[in-house]
Amino acid sequence: MYKQRFCLDTSVFTEPSVRKALGFKTITELTNKMIDLIAEARVKLNISCHIPYPSVYNELIGFLENEGCPKDIIVKVDTWLVKKTPNRYEIKIPSEIFYEYIKDLRERINKGLRIGEEYIIKASNMVYDLTKKNPELSKEEILNTTLSKTISNFRNKYREALRVGTLDSAPDLDVLLLAKELDAAVVASDGGIEKWAQRLGLRFVNAADFPFMLEEYLNHNEKFKNRKF
């Protein structure tokens, strides 16, 4: 019998849309619910949920500790999530994947440089206009006014150019490597993880759908058990 395995990203327990859909306000509440579902699926259906250790695991524990999560919930996390470090020396990744990643990264860096140039010009023009229209303003006042209007927008544009839709952290990569090693489905809400999971030929489940998928598995199992032949 084929065993279902899932490799979980932190977003499984932190995704705001899932908290809203299930009526929870905190990461701790969602985590408690998710672990209960994972435990039931493990016992009844032999479904196993893995989490990269220590990278993704430490991220999750950090979120929980910041909320003052009760110790018993952390014990449940340690009990029902299978912690494993990806075997980075043995997992084979096609060289084409690295080629695509480097190409994508180079394009993003170039886009980031263009955004930086754009905002330097905008800031320079703002300084010039302010100086011309308000000669009484001090250097500090001019800089503060200019920076407050440009830095926030620049950061958002720059972050979008370099980080959205790509792998931008070691935990992200660990999720993919562990899933590849275990032939497991990737569960995340990150667009970059989804994109590269597809490149690697891995199954992908959106974190927002995962609790409802587990509930469907469990409900169908109960119906099947109660069916009369």
Side-chain angles (χ1 to χ4, degrees):
M1 180 180 177
Y2 178 74
K3 181 177 181 179
Q4 281 268 46
R5 292 186 177 94
F6 295 95
C7 187
L8 311 184
D9 177 54
T10 319
S11 57
V12 171
F13 307 96
T14 61
E15 175 59 39
S17 64
V18 181
R19 295 206 305 270
K20 183 177 180 180
L22 296 176
F24 297 133
K25 294 182 178 180
T26 67
I27 293 172
T28 298
E29 290 174 325
L30 176 57
T31 299
N32 191 41
K33 172 64 174 179
M34 288 301 308
I35 295 299
D36 284 344
L37 285 172
I38 288 168
E40 190 176 357
R42 176 75 173 273
V43 171
K44 294 182 177 180
L45 302 173
N46 199 28
I47 290 174
S48 61
C49 291
H50 301 253
I51 188 167
Y53 181 85
S55 56
V56 178
Y57 172 81
N58 285 347
E59 275 190 346
L60 173 59
I61 296 302
F63 280 117
L64 294 174
E65 289 179 343
N66 286 339
E67 288 189 350
C69 176
K71 180 66 176 177
D72 64 306
I73 294 179
I74 293 180
V75 170
K76 288 167 66 173
V77 169
D78 288 333
T79 301
W80 295 106
L81 292 184
V82 182
K83 303 191 293 288
K84 187 181 185 309
T85 304
N87 190 344
R88 302 185 185 99
Y89 295 99
E90 297 295 332
I91 301 168
K92 295 181 180 180
I93 303 295
S95 58
E96 177 66 19
I97 298 295
F98 287 106
Y99 180 84
E100 290 181 27
Y101 182 75
I102 295 301
K103 181 181 178 183
D104 178 70
L105 186 61
R106 183 60 179 265
E107 291 173 353
R108 288 172 181 276
I109 290 172
N110 289 336
K111 187 175 181 180
L113 288 172
R114 291 194 294 272
I115 291 171
E117 292 167 357
E118 175 188 343
Y119 275 86
I120 288 172
I121 294 172
K122 283 184 177 180
S124 299
N125 289 336
M126 289 178 65
V127 169
Y128 175 79
D129 291 340
L130 280 172
T131 304
K132 189 173 181 179
K133 294 177 182 178
N134 305 280
E136 74 283 358
L137 291 178
S138 66
K139 178 181 177 180
E140 289 74 18
E141 289 174 322
I142 291 173
L143 288 177
N144 287 337
T145 301
T146 304
L147 294 178
S148 65
K149 290 183 177 180
T150 56
I151 285 182
S152 179
N153 289 336
F154 167 73
R155 284 178 174 170
N156 290 335
K157 288 278 189 179
Y158 188 81
R159 186 182 298 110
E160 181 179 352
L162 263 69
R163 299 184 63 181
V164 174
T166 193
L167 301 177
D168 63 354
S169 71
D172 288 354
L173 182 58
D174 275 347
V175 170
L176 294 175
L177 292 178
L178 186 57
K180 181 73 172 175
E181 179 183 347
L182 300 174
D183 189 25
V186 174
V187 187
S189 64
D190 185 282
I193 294 178
E194 179 179 7
K195 173 183 175 181
W196 291 100
Q198 292 172 352
R199 293 286 198 279
L200 289 167
L202 298 170
R203 293 173 295 148
F204 180 84
V205 178
N206 193 301
D209 299 328
F210 190 54
F212 307 106
M213 176 186 290
L214 292 179
E215 287 179 339
E216 175 63 19
Y217 281 146
L218 291 165
N219 290 337
H220 188 78
N221 181 63
E222 290 300 317
K223 290 177 183 177
F224 184 80
K225 281 171 35 178
N226 295 328
R227 183 180 298 172
K228 295 181 180 179
F229 297 94

